[in-house]
Amino acid sequence: MFFIKHLFQKYLNLSIFRFSFHHSAILVLFICILFLSHNHWHLKQKLKKNCKIYDFQRKESYLAHLFLDNLNGIEIGGSLHNPFCLNTINVDFTNASTAYKKQEKEVSGGNYLEVDVVAMGDKLPFKNGTYDFVISSHVIEHFFDPIKTIEEWFRVIKNDGFIFMIIPHKDRTFDKPRNRSTLSELILRHENVNPNPKFVDDHHSVWITEDFLELCQNRSWKVVAMLDKDDKVGNGFTIVLQK
């Protein structure tokens, strides 16, 4: 009888130990999950300020995330319906209701992306080497002098920083009937031989991928990545430059 009682007590103690250890392990695991989830959530909030949260928004760019995740940058002319989901401030020449803002509202349920800094994209109010990157989608063609604009973007990024551009492709947009912008034409604009008399928010340049790569080669801009068809909407091409 004593032997049976002893075995029962031993079994009971072992069971209590197993029960306690098992539940302690679950508790520790639960705390770890909470801790990691909390940190991950805050990291996502910090690194993905302008992120996809609506059904009407277009897909993100894998290439942009590959180069620009965890960095701080400027988006020129950002839009709510076409987000990059990166840590950026949105710079636009106006926060007034333009034709493009009206179009953005139409596809975005009456909303549009807030403008953080009102400034001309080719005259940015930032010190030299302030940001890690400048990103834009269907924007560079709106500048009369794209050479001046890109040189300004190079000015505000740090050494080894990036300029990420999605540019409309002539054959995949409403620019298809128009003549392509030649390298000599762009150089003339930059040298003020044919100055732009006033600001006009329109497509001043029309390119295919090879045309823009020719411009990059002429200006000795370092191209680190290129997509003939961008991985976002697909009606443009992507050029990534590095300082």
Side-chain angles (χ1 to χ4, degrees), residues 23-39:
H23 282 73
S24 296
I26 291 175
L27 181 61
V28 170
L29 181 61
F30 180 72
I31 292 170
C32 288
I33 291 171
L34 281 178
F35 176 79
L36 292 172
S37 299
H38 176 77
N39 282 348

Side-chain angles (χ1 to χ4, degrees), residues 61-68 154 161-167 209 212-213 216 221-231 237-243:
S61 164
Y62 171 79
L63 190 65
H65 283 299
L66 184 66
F67 277 94
L68 309 176
F154 270 122
F162 298 99
I163 295 175
F164 188 105
M165 297 174 285
I166 296 179
I167 303 163
T209 314
F212 205 88
L213 288 173
C216 294
W221 294 336
K222 182 181 177 183
V223 179
V224 292
M226 180 274 293
L227 292 175
D228 186 54
K229 184 177 181 180
D230 73 85
D231 64 349
F237 57 92
T238 302
I239 301 289
V240 186
L241 307 176
Q242 187 172 27
K243 187 172 179 178

